[in-house]
Amino acid sequence: MTSIFLSQPVKSLFRLQESQAKALATLRIKTVRDLLYYFPKRYDSITSSKLIVDLVAGDQVTVYGRIKNLKTGKSFRGKMPKAEGTVFDETSSVKVIWFHQPYIAKLIQNDSLVKLHGKVSERNGVISMLNPEIEPVSSVPGTIGNSLFAEQGEDGASVGAMIPVYGESKGITSRWLYHALQKLFSSEDFSGIVDPIPEEIRERYSLPSLTTSLIWIHSPKKEADSVVARKRFAFEEIFFIQLKNEQQRAIHSREKAFIIETKSVDENGKVTGSKKTVEEFTSRFPFPLTESQHKSIEDVLADFAKGYPMSRLLEGDVGSGKTAVAASTAYAAVTSRPKGQNFGTLQVGYMAPTEILAKQHFESFIQYFRHMPISIGLITGNGCRKFPSKLNPGGWTDISRSQFQKWVANGEIAIVIGTHALIQKSVAFKHLAYVIIDEQHRFGTAQRQRLTKKQAQMPHLLSMTATPIPRTLALTLYGDLDLSLLDQMPSGRKKVITEIVVPAHRDNVYEKIRTELQAGRQAYVICPRIAEPDPDKEQTLAAKSVKAEAKRLQSDVFPEYRIDIMHSKMKPAEKDKVMDRFSRHEIDILVSTSVVEVGVNVPNASIIVIEGGERFGLSQLHQLRGRVIRGNHQPYCYVFTSESAQAKSGKVGQGARAAAPKQSDKTADRLKALVTAKNGFELSELDMAQRGVGELYGSKQWGISDLAMEAIKNIKMVEAARKEAKAIIEEHPTVEKLAAGFPLLSQALEAKKDIHFE
Ligand code: ADP
Ligand code: MG
């Protein structure tokens, strides 16, 4: 009965105009459930509106006034399109600028009354609002800046002093949503809604019931109510994700897998049995393994022997040696025979996100396996290769795709390395026992599944990532995977000397770089990230800035060096060519965007310059600097801050208004962590604490709401949700048993089936 009400279409309950129906569709509100779960973005209180004369930089405020001089244009220096205007109230005026949103000038009537919401900034003593939200209003509330007299909001919809503000679409206003929800709340069906979260669990964490939480989140009487309600919904979402994770684990553990046994150990830890050990393989490496590499290999080997497929995530900073772990464990697979067979070997599939990386892995695997009678194949969009070549047993040869497919299908090629091309249907394996995915966040769940579902019997899966993410986020997103950490760098590795460069020192730093270049090193220059919602436009803008920076460096700074560029607008083949030339040292300085080619290995490149450092998350900066730790040379990372940060920091101590120096201090402090933090994990935790998870890791990408993303900061909540989910799935390990024991939970999970938890 509950679920019938919840799944009822909104249009059957409300009389909607066509434009409203359209707007609801845009907002993805179809059913009563969607409507109830369409939470306010924030609450406006009369107290947060201010008179313009009272604005102080740093304020998050609502301002009412008349907008004048509305026009479009280009930003001062660059080619950024913008709209601007000035808003007047009876006390003063404030300049308003929208970068990248020139259309605002067309949406809003010049000289009309508007409500602005956003942050107040200041430059050279002049107050402005950048990219505020704007909406036309019919009147200005009379109580601005005077909280004592807080009363009903302008539209009469406010309860107490908290007015819910929703994401709106033309035809559906916050006011409409408010009234629609009130109507639902007063219906009999609403009070009949049963909470899918078992009462026992709610009581344990003092979470209000579903109906109470819905009322509190949409129309709180006081702030505490909305906070508790948000907490409940965050818990609910994380709890459901954890249930899904645990369910996935339970399902997995019932699957059969290839048993790969590497050695037998007796009670005393003594190796018995005659099987080759992985140690024989790793002892040939030109370096001793780090302890965490050893540990990770052991983790994988233990999983291999369990009889059900491994699902493991290997997280390790760039340069921590994930490939060696991949190779050693691949060795265990390809030295094992398929069950009941005394010929042939199990096979390994190794997928990389780019052609350059796939080729690099192919080369390293040849080095690792060249002493063995093992064939290695490479498949990319541009063709196939096989090692060893018949004519030249020390090297590889190009082979046709059909030949390649034949040899993979009959099991002759034991290790298959490739890009996305690997997951095509036409690539069929004989005994695919082990799948390794490099930089796993660059692949979608669907792509990963296609690789693990290539045959009836599921292979073991090792996902590798260099993106250090906070522990709580990992527990949520990858809760269905077991975790191995490479939190140790190989010994003897030189630490990247990192400097946050104040603008005045730019030239000195260029001189330092020149010294390194003269000594024969190479450098990367990374151009700033560009905030632009349209990805295609973003790439175009980024490509432009890369070209411009390369030109500037060539003509003004390093005329004597060979400079070239790389960006994501280039074709893969072009990028490959540039990268090849860079690795052959035909290029001294490579100017690039931040998005291209993670993990590429050019040992002679020991310098990285990052422009616009304040635009990156710390973990992102850390990953970028990871590109220069591959060689034996002392690596350097110079993080430049951009002009706007310059202006701000230049003002410190010159009697500027209080808020401005605070902002620049924060930027500098934030970046300083790059110098002090021990590893990427520490930086990711800092990122999360300072900037929130959603902004950094993009909640949309994972199908997690902003609300839950925010709550992921709270390790206690994540662990509680995980513990409860584990307990339930332990008792109800199959989909059927869960449906019988917790019908509402199971329904809720089914409803979320389409979302990719990745
Ligand atoms: P990533 O984790 O970024 O994939 P790689 O596997 O590419 O790192 O390893 C980076 C470099 O470190 C490679 O040149 C590799 O040979 C080397 N390496 C790996 N493990 C060790 C170790 N234990 N000691 C010294 N060098 C190592
Ligand atoms: Mg790697």
Side-chain angles (χ1 to χ4, degrees):
M1 126 90 205
T2 307
S3 73
I4 293 177
F5 173 56
L6 290 177
S7 52
Q8 217 161 316
V10 171
K11 61 172 187 259
S12 71
L13 290 177
F14 300 94
R15 248 178 297 125
L16 297 175
Q17 287 156 14
E18 202 177 310
S19 65
Q20 290 177 316
K22 245 198 210 147
L24 283 174
T26 310
L27 300 173
R28 293 169 187 247
I29 302 175
K30 271 190 242 137
T31 63
V32 168
R33 185 175 201 286
D34 297 338
L35 181 55
L36 289 171
Y37 275 78
Y38 192 70
F39 299 149
K41 285 194 302 187
R42 59 164 207 275
Y43 308 93
D44 259 1
S45 73
I46 300 294
T47 48
S48 74
S49 23
K50 278 196 169 181
L51 295 169
I52 293 173
V53 73
D54 293 330
L55 297 184
V56 175
D59 275 356
Q60 190 77 34
V61 290
T62 304
V63 166
Y64 290 86
R66 199 168 284 283
I67 188 155
K68 295 186 191 264
N69 308 328
L70 198 53
K71 58 173 191 264
T72 55
K74 292 270 162 76
S75 68
F76 168 59
R77 195 184 343 212
K79 317 207 161 36
M80 247 192 275
K82 65 170 184 180
E84 61 180 28
T86 308
V87 172
F88 293 81
D89 68 5
E90 65 268 37
T91 64
S92 185
S93 67
V94 60
K95 176 120 188 189
V96 188
I97 305 167
W98 292 272
F99 291 109
H100 294 301
Q101 301 170 56
Y103 49 85
I104 286 206
K106 301 211 171 64
L107 286 181
I108 300 287
Q109 286 266 341
N110 201 17
D111 221 22
S112 63
L113 268 186
V114 294
K115 173 177 160 190
L116 299 170
H117 180 83
K119 204 162 163 187
V120 180
S121 5
E122 183 200 310
R123 209 185 154 131
N124 305 327
V126 180
I127 288 281
S128 63
M129 290 180 83
L130 302 183
N131 292 347
E133 290 170 35
I134 181 165
E135 64 180 292
V137 292
S138 51
S139 65
V140 174
T143 49
I144 293 172
N146 192 346
S147 59
L148 270 184
F149 300 105
E151 53 186 34
Q152 288 225 313
E154 42 148 344
D155 53 9
S158 72
V159 176
M162 295 181 77
I163 311 162
V165 179
Y166 296 89
E168 301 182 340
S169 184
K170 201 163 178 291
I172 294 293
T173 58
S174 288
R175 184 178 174 176
W176 186 92
L177 288 161
Y178 176 83
H179 288 294
L181 283 157
Q182 293 306 313
K183 198 176 149 196
L184 287 185
F185 293 160
S186 60
S187 74
E188 208 168 298
D189 284 330
F190 179 78
S191 46
I193 292 178
V194 185
D195 197 329
I197 303 183
E199 197 175 338
E200 197 195 321
I201 295 180
R202 265 188 286 127
E203 271 173 11
R204 209 156 23 241
Y205 306 103
S206 316
L207 301 170
S209 74
L210 178 55
T211 44
T212 304
S213 305
L214 284 168
I215 294 172
W216 283 0
I217 203 164
H218 287 291
S219 40
K221 291 250 189 308
K222 51 182 194 292
E223 200 181 338
D225 289 353
S226 73
V227 171
V228 173
R230 291 177 80 81
K231 184 174 146 197
R232 181 233 141 84
F233 286 114
F235 179 89
E236 175 178 311
E237 192 169 336
I238 295 170
F239 177 57
F240 285 171
I241 293 172
Q242 297 292 2
L243 277 170
K244 201 89 203 159
N245 286 338
E246 290 303 320
Q247 205 172 41
Q248 198 55 47
R249 271 175 187 274
I251 290 168
H252 246 111
S253 67
R254 288 191 299 274
E255 290 264 348
K256 258 179 57 191
F258 296 89
I259 295 189
I260 302 169
E261 276 171 323
T262 41
K263 60 182 176 184
S264 332
V265 181
D266 67 16
E267 305 89 271
N268 304 319
K270 231 180 114 195
V271 178
T272 62
S274 59
K275 271 195 186 305
K276 286 192 178 180
T277 63
V278 171
E279 283 78 59
E280 275 174 32
F281 183 75
T282 56
S283 64
R284 305 180 70 97
F285 292 178
F287 46 74
L289 289 176
T290 63
E291 214 161 287
S292 56
Q293 280 173 318
H294 267 302
K295 171 79 176 54
S296 301
I297 293 172
E298 288 302 319
D299 288 347
V300 172
L301 296 182
D303 288 352
F304 276 176
K306 277 182 183 156
Y308 62 87
M310 167 175 79
S311 311
R312 185 168 286 281
L313 180 68
L314 179 65
E315 251 194 278
D317 268 1
V318 172
S320 58
K322 293 186 288 294
T323 317
V325 174
S328 312
T329 49
Y331 167 85
V334 298
T335 50
S336 301
R337 297 222 183 279
K339 203 174 168 200
Q341 224 174 271
N342 61 1
F343 58 93
T345 74
L346 297 179
Q347 288 171 295
V348 174
Y350 189 171
M351 185 157 74
T354 65
E355 185 161 349
I356 299 177
L357 275 174
K359 280 185 182 154
Q360 236 166 46
H361 292 326
F362 181 63
E363 296 291 343
S364 2
F365 266 55
I366 290 174
Q367 294 310 318
Y368 283 125
F369 286 92
R370 66 183 330 142
H371 64 288
M372 295 177 58
I374 291 282
S375 289
I376 305 174
L378 173 75
I379 176 168
T380 70
N382 284 325
C384 303
R385 291 176 185 174
K386 176 178 169 289
F387 168 89
S389 145
K390 267 205 194 96
L391 294 175
N392 164 27
W396 52 263
T397 179
D398 285 312
I399 58 173
S400 73
R401 183 171 285 256
S402 59
Q403 188 57 258
F404 176 90
Q405 282 165 359
K406 200 181 109 197
W407 279 335
V408 174
N410 71 13
E412 203 167 313
I413 297 183
I415 300 177
V416 183
I417 298 171
T419 54
H420 297 75
L422 194 59
I423 53 179
Q424 286 158 4
K425 268 218 193 73
S426 55
V427 182
F429 288 78
K430 180 141 177 129
H431 294 294
L432 179 60
Y434 182 24
V435 163
I436 303 165
I437 298 183
D438 197 16
E439 307 298 345
Q440 61 95 34
H441 63 283
R442 309 257 311 244
F443 296 99
T445 321
Q447 286 171 319
R448 292 204 322 232
Q449 280 180 353
R450 263 166 74 187
L451 193 51
T452 50
K453 294 210 168 119
K454 272 208 167 273
Q455 57 196 12
Q457 192 165 337
M458 253 180 110
H460 298 285
L461 171 71
L462 183 69
S463 271
M464 308 201 293
T465 180
T467 310
I469 60 173
R471 206 171 91 81
T472 48
L473 186 60
L475 279 179
T476 309
L477 295 175
Y478 309 124
D480 58 330
L481 305 178
D482 294 307
L483 197 61
S484 290
L485 287 185
L486 292 184
D487 51 6
Q488 224 176 0
M489 277 294 178
S491 63
R493 200 56 70 66
K494 296 192 178 69
K495 213 170 166 261
V496 186
I497 295 180
T498 302
E499 246 181 74
I500 314 301
V501 183
V502 296
H505 292 165
R506 189 178 265 265
D507 288 341
N508 306 357
V509 170
Y510 281 141
E511 283 321 301
K512 280 201 235 172
I513 293 171
R514 196 183 314 278
T515 313
E516 286 297 306
L517 292 172
Q518 274 163 1
R521 302 289 83 75
Q522 289 161 277
Y524 295 97
V525 173
I526 307 296
C527 290
R529 245 174 83 187
I530 294 170
E532 159 62 52
D534 175 353
D536 194 54
K537 234 197 246 161
E538 179 181 334
Q539 285 188 11
T540 308
L541 289 172
K544 260 193 196 158
S545 78
V546 162
K547 282 178 204 157
E549 179 63 8
K551 206 170 146 196
R552 186 187 75 85
L553 288 173
Q554 188 80 78
S555 63
D556 301 356
V557 190
F558 297 114
E560 71 273 39
Y561 286 108
R562 296 160 297 180
I563 300 179
D564 215 324
I565 59 169
M566 188 151 82
H567 54 76
S568 38
K569 276 274 161 181
M570 289 161 59
K571 294 205 183 71
E574 288 178 286
K575 283 194 267 184
D576 269 16
K577 242 196 214 145
V578 173
M579 219 48 224
D580 263 1
R581 285 175 43 230
F582 189 58
S583 62
R584 284 202 305 269
H585 201 165
E586 290 168 23
I587 299 168
D588 299 299
I589 302 172
L590 184 63
V591 184
S592 155
T593 53
S594 64
V595 286
V596 277
E597 312 319 337
V598 285
V600 174
N601 201 353
V602 180
N604 192 49
S606 65
I607 308 159
I608 186 160
V609 174
I610 301 165
E611 293 282 349
E614 73 281 353
R615 301 200 183 185
F616 295 94
L618 292 171
S619 6
Q620 227 181 342
L621 289 168
H622 176 70
Q623 258 189 301
L624 285 170
R625 103 178 132 177
R627 285 191 209 181
V628 291
I629 55 176
R630 298 313 180 92
N632 300 317
H633 311 291
Q634 172 58 53
Y636 298 90
C637 171
Y638 299 106
V639 181
F640 290 168
T641 54
S642 75
E643 311 292 339
S644 63
Q646 225 183 102
K648 274 181 206 146
S649 52
K651 264 172 133 188
V652 180
Q654 293 174 20
R657 279 182 49 178
K662 233 203 223 145
Q663 178 62 31
S664 67
D665 279 357
K666 246 164 92 185
T667 304
D669 274 354
R670 193 169 74 81
L671 294 177
K672 251 183 238 151
L674 276 177
V675 184
T676 53
K678 273 197 297 297
N679 54 38
F681 298 104
E682 200 178 314
L683 289 169
S684 74
E685 301 282 350
L686 276 173
D687 265 344
M688 179 170 77
Q690 291 166 348
R691 311 213 310 180
V693 197
E695 188 193 336
L696 283 166
Y697 302 99
S699 49
K700 296 228 171 49
Q701 176 184 353
W702 287 307
I704 294 182
S705 75
D706 292 344
L707 186 143
M709 271 292 185
E710 196 52 34
I712 282 175
K713 279 184 182 182
N714 182 347
I715 180 90
K716 282 208 185 105
M717 172 178 300
V718 173
E719 275 171 352
R722 193 171 157 88
K723 190 176 118 205
E724 299 298 342
K726 262 192 171 72
I728 287 178
I729 298 298
E730 227 157 70
E731 296 275 305
H732 306 82
T734 66
V735 174
E736 293 74 25
K737 282 187 181 147
L738 187 69
F742 293 93
L744 287 169
L745 268 187
S746 138
Q747 274 172 28
L749 283 192
E750 283 302 300
K752 290 195 160 236
K753 216 172 171 178
D754 298 334
I755 299 176
H756 297 308
F757 294 126
E758 197 196 337

